[in-house]
Amino acid sequence: GNSVTQMEGPVTLSEEAFLTINCTYTATGYPSLFWYVQYPGEGLQLLLKATKADDKGSNKGFEATYRKETTSFHLEKGSVQVSDSAVYFCALKGGSNYKLTFGKGTLLTVNP
Amino acid sequence: DGGITQSPKYLFRKEGQNVTLSCEQNLNHDAMYWYRQDPGQGLRLIYYSQIVNDFQKGDIAEGYSVSREKKESFPLTVTSAQKNPTAFYLCASSMGREATDTQYFGPGTRLTVL
């Protein structure tokens, strides 16, 4: 079955530091890959997505590239801000499968 | 403004009671979903519905029930049979069920059993 593994947190960075959150997956066929962000007490917001190999998703300075050869979709940002503090979830949706399969989430705290 | 609304934001239930969580969307999406989130965990699928009057069990459906009488509404009932119902419940919708269809989430309902 499908599965997602993302690096365990928490991750604590200083403002303007470089961020990488690792995500690897196992899936049959050609899944779509997503990063969602969850701020405290809120629902999930789509951050970015990629639907085929070598696609790069980007939004608000965050980027992730769909790497089929390494089955990875690592999230990066060149310079984090305090407002980026949140939980980040990597997820995949495979073929005509109805559901999203999520990683366990990574808590990011950015200090001023 | 298009989006997904969930109510109430906080819900308290005594043991042995059924409670119903509301989910409404005005995105004209065909598919709707209910997920459960526990601290430090990813989300787990409870039920999903692809069209009106049809729904299927997800990974953890025991102790829950749903209905889909209208396209825009997908209420979830947490029954007394659910052994550990305290959690954060998230509703989502998508245009369809294809892999490229993005799921959009509501703000969630936090249920606490007293």
Side-chain angles (χ1 to χ4, degrees):
Chain A
N2 296 341
S3 67
V4 174
T5 304
Q6 62 181 102
M7 65 186 277
E8 294 190 16
V11 174
T12 302
L13 296 173
S14 297
E15 207 165 21
E16 299 184 3
F18 185 85
L19 169 70
T20 299
I21 301 177
N22 290 339
C23 172
T24 57
Y25 67 90
T26 302
T28 55
Y30 302 94
S32 293
L33 300 172
F34 304 83
W35 276 101
Y36 284 87
V37 59
Q38 184 178 36
Y39 298 100
E42 298 184 7
L44 274 66
Q45 299 176 24
L46 177 69
L47 184 58
L48 53 85
K49 74 176 190 181
T51 58
K52 61 183 188 293
D54 300 325
D55 266 3
K56 178 187 282 189
S58 62
N59 185 26
K60 299 180 182 178
F62 291 90
E63 293 183 340
T65 301
Y66 187 158
R67 302 281 189 204
K68 194 165 178 64
E69 63 275 14
T70 55
T71 62
S72 65
F73 193 54
H74 304 321
L75 183 68
E76 296 182 336
K77 187 176 186 183
S79 176
V80 294
Q81 305 300 313
V82 172
S83 57
D84 293 327
S85 298
V87 179
Y88 292 82
F89 291 95
C90 184
L92 72 82
K93 195 162 180 267
S96 60
N97 195 335
Y98 48 87
K99 72 173 186 179
L100 280 168
T101 299
F102 286 89
K104 291 189 175 182
T106 302
L107 173 63
L108 169 67
T109 301
V110 180
N111 295 319
Chain B
D1 256 348
I4 302 172
T5 57
Q6 292 186 243
S7 62
K9 188 172 178 62
Y10 299 97
L11 187 56
F12 298 91
R13 189 194 92 173
K14 293 182 180 178
E15 284 195 27
Q17 288 182 335
N18 293 353
V19 289
T20 297
L21 284 58
S22 169
C23 177
E24 304 276 333
Q25 55 98 359
N26 62 3
L27 300 168
N28 199 32
H29 284 170
D30 286 322
M32 297 187 74
Y33 313 80
W34 275 105
Y35 290 89
R36 170 181 171 139
Q37 184 179 22
D38 294 284
Q41 300 292 317
L43 278 67
R44 293 180 291 169
L45 183 68
I46 304 172
Y47 268 98
Y48 72 103
S49 168
Q50 297 176 66
I51 56 172
V52 174
N53 293 323
D54 184 57
F55 48 83
Q56 283 80 41
K57 294 181 179 180
D59 299 323
I60 56 165
E62 186 175 350
Y64 300 98
S65 66
V66 293
S67 63
R68 186 89 187 273
E69 296 177 0
K70 298 186 296 183
K71 185 176 184 177
E72 58 271 22
S73 178
F74 191 41
L76 173 74
T77 296
V78 184
T79 75
S80 57
Q82 168 49 233
K83 297 199 184 317
N84 185 19
T86 294
F88 191 47
Y89 290 87
L90 288 156
C91 179
S93 71
S94 65
M95 189 169 299
R97 59 176 283 168
E98 297 303 317
T100 54
D101 289 332
T102 299
Q103 289 187 19
Y104 296 92
F105 286 80
T109 292
R110 186 167 300 280
L111 173 63
T112 302
V113 174
L114 303 174

